[in-house]
Amino acid sequence: MTSTEYTAKENILIAEDEEGILTLLSRAIRSKGYNVYNASNAEKALEIFNDTKVHIDLLVTDIMMPGLNGKELADHAVKINPNLKVIYISGYSDNALFKEGIIAPDIVLLRKPFLPGKLINEIQEILDQHSD
């Protein structure tokens, strides 16, 4: 199945504090048929996770945000939805992120800048792995 034939029904939440990046990623993901929820910070993202009418399948989160960082957001969100999949994005160096204890070696991390297609490929791969 090619990505142009891919039809999605999953719900994806994007937590990103840079409005331009949030808009770009949201449009790209939505264009592939996913239901997309946007949050400009971790607190707004948690409000969406706590909404009992919404089931989020995958979280795409910037690691460094004001307030709770992306790792803290993911930790809280996984308590709400233990089956949640997470993709982290960051413009910071790996050394800075490891040094702060924010990321572990086994996470999915996309380095900014990246093309939206790279994120779409990661999303499809992660969700396909867990729908078998």
Side-chain angles (χ1 to χ4, degrees):
M1 177 183 292
T2 66
S3 61
T4 56
E5 298 169 348
Y6 192 84
T7 324
K9 294 184 175 92
E10 293 91 352
N11 295 319
I12 298 174
L13 188 145
I14 307 169
E16 167 61 64
D17 60 320
E18 292 182 43
E19 186 177 334
I21 293 173
L22 180 61
T23 300
L24 175 70
L25 296 180
S26 178
R27 285 182 184 159
I29 295 167
R30 193 171 280 119
S31 76
K32 296 300 180 186
Y34 294 100
N35 300 314
V36 179
Y37 296 84
N38 294 337
S40 58
N41 59 48
E43 290 75 14
K44 289 180 182 174
L46 285 173
E47 288 176 18
I48 295 169
F49 276 106
N50 284 315
D51 182 342
T52 57
K53 297 177 203 136
V54 178
H55 173 80
I56 301 297
D57 300 292
L58 185 136
L59 169 66
V60 176
T61 182
D62 190 4
I63 292 179
M64 302 301 272
M65 294 186 290
L68 294 176
N69 67 43
K71 176 70 169 94
E72 293 166 330
L73 166 60
D75 289 346
H76 287 290
V78 167
K79 289 177 185 169
I80 297 166
N81 175 4
N83 296 317
L84 181 70
K85 310 305 174 249
V86 181
I87 296 175
Y88 295 95
I89 57 177
S90 180
Y92 285 82
S93 73
D94 289 346
N95 287 343
L97 298 173
F98 284 119
K99 188 180 201 181
E100 296 295 319
I102 294 174
I103 62 171
D106 60 344
I107 68 157
V108 177
L109 172 65
L110 290 180
R111 313 274 310 140
K112 292 179 187 176
F114 56 84
L115 295 174
K118 183 164 178 62
L119 177 59
I120 298 294
N121 290 340
E122 287 290 340
I123 289 170
Q124 290 173 344
E125 186 176 316
I126 288 170
L127 292 176
D128 285 351
Q129 286 175 357
H130 296 91
S131 65
D132 298 335

